Amino acid sequence: MWAELLQRIGYQGALNPDKETLFALHECHVRSVPFENLDVQHQVEIKLDIPHLFHKVVTQKRGGFCYELNHLFYHLLKEIGFKVSMVSGRTYDDDELGPEFDHLALVIALDEKLWLVDVAFGDLFITPVEITNEKGQTDGRNYFRLEKVGHDWLLWMSSDGGQFEKKYQFSTIPRTIDEFQDQCQWKQDSPDSYFVKNTVVTRPTPSGRKSIFNEKLIMKENGDRKDRMIASPSQLKETLKNDFDIQL
């Protein structure tokens, strides 16, 4: 089962619970599996049990959002032998902090350090970031820093290393998938949900990122941006197939 997931993300390296393996797995996953909410848009119920997620992501070669992709990745990392926990994140809308269990991320204890792991936020880090407020970090594309806020941590991101924006606040308390179920359901059903209001598909490219946002394909390459309108459902299907390897 897990060999098929490794094949899906294109990982062929060693399976040791070490930093090199963690970073390689994370990057392979982010580059191979899109962040997307197409099931929400098509009113297909999102189920968080592993057989269902495996079928969707591996067999159907789909993507998903945080409760799906980070949950599946959690079980892969656990199978390899990593000390990994699911944790609750709260995202920002402008400067307003979302509710508990708004986002599912992962924390790994490794080499006497803690690492934030997240393959399912959309445009974020390609490789894990160390949970420390002592230094800035980069994944080779963007810049990140963490700030201790009470018992929690706040993740900041910048494209140039100068102007940072808040991404989400998280705790390192281990959680179970059942604790995320209510928020996962809300994001599928509520007319106020960002994922009900918008179609979102995104994946990094070797020199940038491709994203679908509603009726637009956004292509960022080497700092340049080009937008292309998606004029019809048939053109959307073609774009999904050609640019994201998704066939509905």
Side-chain angles (χ1 to χ4, degrees):
M1 174 180 178
W2 299 114
E4 294 174 74
L5 178 55
L6 292 170
Q7 184 178 10
R8 166 76 173 96
I9 67 175
Y11 181 77
Q12 298 177 329
L15 294 175
N16 303 315
D18 56 27
K19 181 181 175 182
E20 181 180 1
T21 299
L22 175 63
F23 274 53
L25 284 169
H26 195 287
E27 182 166 359
C28 283
H29 195 297
V30 170
R31 293 187 182 281
S32 301
V33 181
F35 176 89
E36 51 107 333
N37 71 328
L38 297 170
D39 280 354
V40 177
Q41 290 295 305
H42 289 88
Q43 298 182 321
V44 176
E45 183 183 3
I46 291 174
K47 300 178 181 178
L48 300 181
D49 61 280
I50 292 302
H52 184 89
L53 294 178
F54 185 88
H55 177 72
K56 179 179 178 178
V57 175
V58 178
T59 306
Q60 295 185 319
K61 295 184 178 179
R62 288 281 306 283
F65 62 5
C66 67
Y67 307 115
E68 301 171 283
L69 301 187
N70 278 333
H71 183 209
L72 191 60
F73 197 47
Y74 162 85
H75 283 278
L76 173 63
L77 295 173
K78 195 172 181 180
E79 182 72 17
I80 292 170
F82 286 100
K83 296 178 181 178
V84 56
S85 301
M86 289 182 282
V87 300
S88 170
R90 304 169 66 190
T91 62
Y92 281 90
D93 183 6
D94 292 325
D95 213 34
E96 185 175 343
L97 195 59
E100 199 71 76
F101 307 112
D102 190 31
H103 179 62
L104 190 162
L106 305 176
V107 168
I108 282 185
L110 180 64
D111 299 333
E112 299 182 349
K113 297 177 181 178
L114 292 179
W115 299 87
L116 179 62
V117 171
D118 196 338
V119 296
F121 189 81
D123 189 1
L124 202 63
F125 43 77
I126 302 295
T127 53
V129 297
E130 183 183 347
I131 300 176
T132 175
N133 58 6
E134 295 178 355
K135 59 184 178 181
Q137 302 173 66
T138 181
D139 64 352
R141 293 184 170 212
N142 295 303
Y143 299 85
F144 303 89
R145 60 184 176 87
L146 286 133
E147 176 188 349
K148 198 77 166 67
V149 180
H151 296 293
D152 294 343
W153 290 89
L154 172 58
L155 175 68
W156 297 77
M157 174 176 164
S158 169
S159 59
D160 59 8
Q163 188 73 25
F164 281 81
E165 65 172 331
K166 299 174 183 176
K167 303 308 287 186
Y168 60 81
Q169 190 168 307
F170 67 97
S171 81
T172 57
I173 298 171
R175 303 292 190 174
T176 66
I177 192 61
D178 290 343
E179 294 178 273
F180 294 91
Q181 187 62 57
D182 287 347
Q183 273 299 310
C184 180
Q185 200 65 49
W186 185 90
K187 291 182 189 301
Q188 299 175 65
D189 299 337
S190 173
D192 295 325
S193 166
Y194 177 86
F195 295 111
V196 171
K197 292 178 179 179
N198 302 289
T199 298
V200 182
V201 186
T202 185
R203 187 173 66 176
T205 65
S207 55
R209 177 173 289 274
K210 288 185 179 181
S211 304
I212 291 173
F213 187 73
N214 295 328
E215 294 82 29
K216 187 181 295 183
L217 174 65
I218 303 167
M219 295 165 285
K220 296 179 181 179
E221 299 293 331
N222 298 313
D224 296 326
R225 171 173 168 160
K226 295 181 180 178
D227 293 358
R228 188 182 79 201
M229 297 304 298
I230 301 172
S232 65
S234 61
Q235 190 175 1
L236 173 60
K237 286 188 176 182
E238 183 179 350
T239 301
L240 288 170
K241 180 180 178 181
N242 294 338
D243 292 283
F244 300 94
D245 303 317
I246 292 177
Q247 296 190 60
L248 295 178

